[in-house]
Amino acid sequence: MGYHCSKIIDYTACEVTTTTTTSTTTTTSTTTTPEPKFWPDWLGDDTCVFSEKYPQYMQLNPTWTGSTLEDCCKRYYSWRYDDCLVEGGGTSTAANTATLYYPDWEGSDHVCVNDGEAPDYITKAASVFMFEDLEDCCEKYYWWNLAECLGSAANAGSNKYYADYSQSKCVKDCTGSDCGGLVGGVWDELYDDKSTCCAEKFWWVEDCDA
């Protein structure tokens, strides 16, 4: 604040002048671009894509995104896995499925086969329906018909012991003498030795381990 007066000093005639200083603050905001990931583009191509343009909710919850096309397709498009791979720039798995086992729902034997003639809907979702091992396929889709599904692979049995409730004793999973027949399914717990089986299943039967 200052005073501006005439040459004749008369303080009552002085004008009061005020000088105001304004300070300006500039704020700079920085936007971080998300790292490119594989993500399910439900509102676009309806397949897995690789980019940094995934929705905000996926940015906030990174479990929606992944580092590989295979994992993304398997998680979000398992029912059209093969198409998802191709559309996402990957390689079709159809050519590599000829020796894989799959559930033969069109047949009447209730078994898994690897005849190289799997229907398209199965090869396109190979990660769900096809297996390298016969046992894995049988246990998932024909657990109730396990012995038949395993076929020759099951003929020898496991030579382990399981509970035969009709006889109240433990028997060996095998065919032939001193055997109790093949185990009925995955619900039958197997034991390495007879005494352990008896102790777990028939502890009240004195001659179970005889």
Side-chain angles (χ1 to χ4, degrees), residues 144-181:
W144 47 271
N145 191 43
L146 191 60
E148 291 296 328
C149 182
L150 290 174
S152 59
N155 288 342
S158 65
N159 285 322
K160 293 186 177 183
Y161 291 86
Y162 65 94
D164 183 348
Y165 293 100
S166 66
Q167 302 183 61
S168 295
K169 67 178 183 178
C170 290
V171 296
K172 184 181 289 188
D173 175 33
C174 60
T175 57
S177 60
D178 196 31
C179 293

Side-chain angles (χ1 to χ4, degrees), residues 126-205:
S127 66
V128 177
F129 298 118
M130 308 195 80
F131 304 83
E132 293 183 359
D133 298 321
L134 174 61
E135 185 176 359
D136 290 339
C137 180
C138 290
E139 287 185 351
K140 182 169 184 178
Y141 292 109
Y142 295 110
W143 51 268
W144 47 271
N145 191 43
L146 191 60
E148 291 296 328
C149 182
L150 290 174
S152 59
N155 288 342
S158 65
N159 285 322
K160 293 186 177 183
Y161 291 86
Y162 65 94
D164 183 348
Y165 293 100
S166 66
Q167 302 183 61
S168 295
K169 67 178 183 178
C170 290
V171 296
K172 184 181 289 188
D173 175 33
C174 60
T175 57
S177 60
D178 196 31
C179 293
L182 299 178
V183 67
V186 294
W187 58 84
D188 286 318
E189 190 171 1
L190 294 171
Y191 297 89
D192 291 331
D193 57 79
K194 191 174 184 180
S195 59
T196 302
C197 176
C198 287
E200 289 286 334
K201 300 297 184 179
F202 301 109
W203 67 91
W204 70 92
V205 179

Side-chain angles (χ1 to χ4, degrees), residues 38-40 42 48 63-65 71-79:
F38 285 100
W39 53 280
W42 289 306
C48 287
T63 59
W64 287 102
T65 61
D71 288 344
C72 180
C73 289
K74 185 175 182 178
R75 180 177 182 183
Y76 299 111
Y77 297 101
S78 59
W79 49 276

